[in-house]
Amino acid sequence: MSRFDNSGGGKFSGRGDGNFRRKSFARGNAPIKKKRENIQPPDPNLIRLNKYIANSGVCSRREADTYITAGNITVNGKTITEMGYKVKLTDEVRFDGRLLSLEKKEYVLLNKPKNFITTTRDEKGRRTVMELISNASKSRLVPVGRLDRNTTGLLLFTNDGDMAKKLTHPRYGVRKIYHVELNRNLTAADFKRIQEGIMLEDGLIQVDEVSFLQNAPKKEVGIEIHSGRNRIVRRIFEHLGYDVVKLDRVVFANLTKKDLPRGHWRHLTKQEVINLGMLQ
């Protein structure tokens, strides 16, 4: 029986006794495609605005479209609400006044150990905190504020310059809590003096709270402070005649050391970054 059986009502095979044949492009009768003219390659220096915003780490592309239509985005000082708008890599793009860049913003929290200095490099060859986060990111991260060499605890790193300035500016009064261990018990009189404020050579310093630690000797104290003055916690106690044996920052901008061992780092969660942005 041929591949096409008239009695069986089968499908045409294109061969044998059937009267239907498929076109064979191998015989040179393939359709000729029209030549596409004037097709310009995409400009590598142009990028859709929503992609630019998403790549900067602010939000997703879909959310970026919402912000664009709402008028939250400016390009070179002009509000843009057009969908599909493209920007140059050299354009100044701002979200609610905040300058964006294509580099994704990153935030790394370190539980700093002793004997590391807070600087990006040291001419004397001393160990720096940058060694501890060398594998955290390919971006150039910088420490937010400082912890001196013998102080341990929370230290934040970021490539977000605006956030770094905000977290170190006195206006925002970022919350910091320290666990202090002194060389001797803190007296009741000195405890009260700290509560009332200490006059140092650069002015009055007010602490937010000072307290003895539960089930600990009187030489161990918790102190909450907003001031960003250099070595301020050590200076308070040194002014009163105490030596600070240990100083550990346990809270910074509402970030804590939970599940972060000494010498280890972690990236902030999306919610933690949002919370930092809401500090006022």
Side-chain angles (χ1 to χ4, degrees):
M1 183 173 67
S2 70
R3 294 180 64 182
F4 168 60
D5 185 356
N6 288 323
S7 63
K11 294 183 178 180
F12 290 102
S13 67
R15 294 182 181 178
D17 297 331
N19 56 8
F20 172 81
R21 295 182 61 85
R22 292 181 180 176
K23 291 181 180 179
S24 175
F25 292 163
R27 297 183 180 181
N29 58 350
I32 299 175
K33 294 183 179 180
K34 293 183 179 180
K35 186 177 180 180
R36 300 178 69 184
E37 298 178 353
N38 300 324
I39 302 299
Q40 298 294 329
D43 188 339
N45 295 314
L46 290 176
I47 183 173
R48 288 174 67 97
L49 180 55
N50 62 350
K51 183 178 180 180
Y52 188 105
I53 298 168
N55 287 355
S56 72
V58 172
C59 59
S60 67
R61 286 199 198 185
R62 181 176 296 180
E63 291 170 329
D65 286 336
T66 302
Y67 291 128
I68 292 170
T69 56
N72 296 92
I73 310 299
T74 62
V75 178
N76 299 327
K78 179 182 177 182
T79 300
I80 301 297
T81 57
E82 176 187 343
M83 290 294 98
Y85 187 86
K86 292 186 177 182
V87 297
K88 298 177 182 178
L89 300 182
T90 54
D91 285 342
E92 181 185 271
V93 181
R94 291 182 177 270
F95 172 67
D96 283 344
R98 176 184 173 187
L99 182 64
L100 303 183
S101 69
L102 285 179
E103 183 181 43
K104 183 179 179 180
K105 300 296 187 294
E106 296 189 64
Y107 309 85
V108 172
L109 186 65
L110 170 71
N111 188 349
K112 177 188 172 297
K114 290 181 65 173
N115 298 320
F116 287 83
I117 61 173
T118 305
T119 184
T120 54
R121 60 182 179 178
D122 182 61
E123 296 177 352
K124 298 180 180 179
R126 294 173 295 180
R127 303 187 73 182
T128 76
V129 291
M130 304 310 295
E131 298 176 35
L132 299 170
I133 65 158
S134 59
N135 296 323
S137 171
K138 293 181 179 180
S139 299
R140 182 180 179 275
L141 305 181
V142 296
V144 177
R146 287 179 175 270
L147 290 180
D148 63 44
R149 185 174 184 177
N150 292 320
T151 299
T152 61
L154 295 179
L155 185 62
L156 183 65
F157 298 78
T158 185
N159 58 353
D160 185 343
D162 289 341
M163 182 69 78
K165 289 179 182 179
K166 181 176 183 178
L167 294 177
T168 53
H169 197 287
R171 169 188 172 187
Y172 296 98
V174 172
R175 178 174 177 249
K176 298 177 281 284
I177 299 179
Y178 294 85
H179 177 183
V180 188
E181 182 178 334
L182 305 172
N183 62 323
R184 57 189 175 88
N185 290 347
L186 181 66
T187 66
D190 287 336
F191 184 93
K192 185 176 181 180
R193 290 180 66 186
I194 295 172
Q195 285 183 316
E196 294 175 347
I198 298 290
M199 181 61 71
L200 302 178
E201 61 272 17
D202 54 350
L204 180 67
I205 181 66
Q206 296 277 6
V207 305
D208 299 292
E209 186 176 352
V210 60
S211 61
F212 290 110
L213 301 184
Q214 189 174 7
N215 300 322
K218 297 297 184 182
K219 64 180 180 179
E220 294 190 38
V221 181
I223 185 167
E224 180 178 338
I225 198 165
H226 283 81
S227 173
R229 296 190 211 175
N230 189 37
R231 299 183 70 252
I232 190 61
V233 176
R234 291 185 183 274
R235 290 167 55 207
I236 288 173
F237 290 100
E238 288 170 358
H239 179 80
L240 297 172
Y242 297 87
D243 292 331
V244 176
V245 177
K246 292 181 181 180
L247 182 60
D248 185 39
R249 185 155 72 183
V250 296
V251 174
F252 175 74
N254 297 326
L255 301 170
T256 72
K257 298 198 303 177
K258 182 180 179 182
D259 300 326
L260 188 61
R262 186 88 73 219
H264 288 66
W265 56 265
R266 67 172 178 83
H267 290 279
L268 296 192
T269 65
K270 184 176 181 179
Q271 186 59 53
E272 286 173 329
V273 175
I274 292 173
N275 292 344
L276 288 182
M278 295 175 64
L279 290 175
Q280 296 182 358

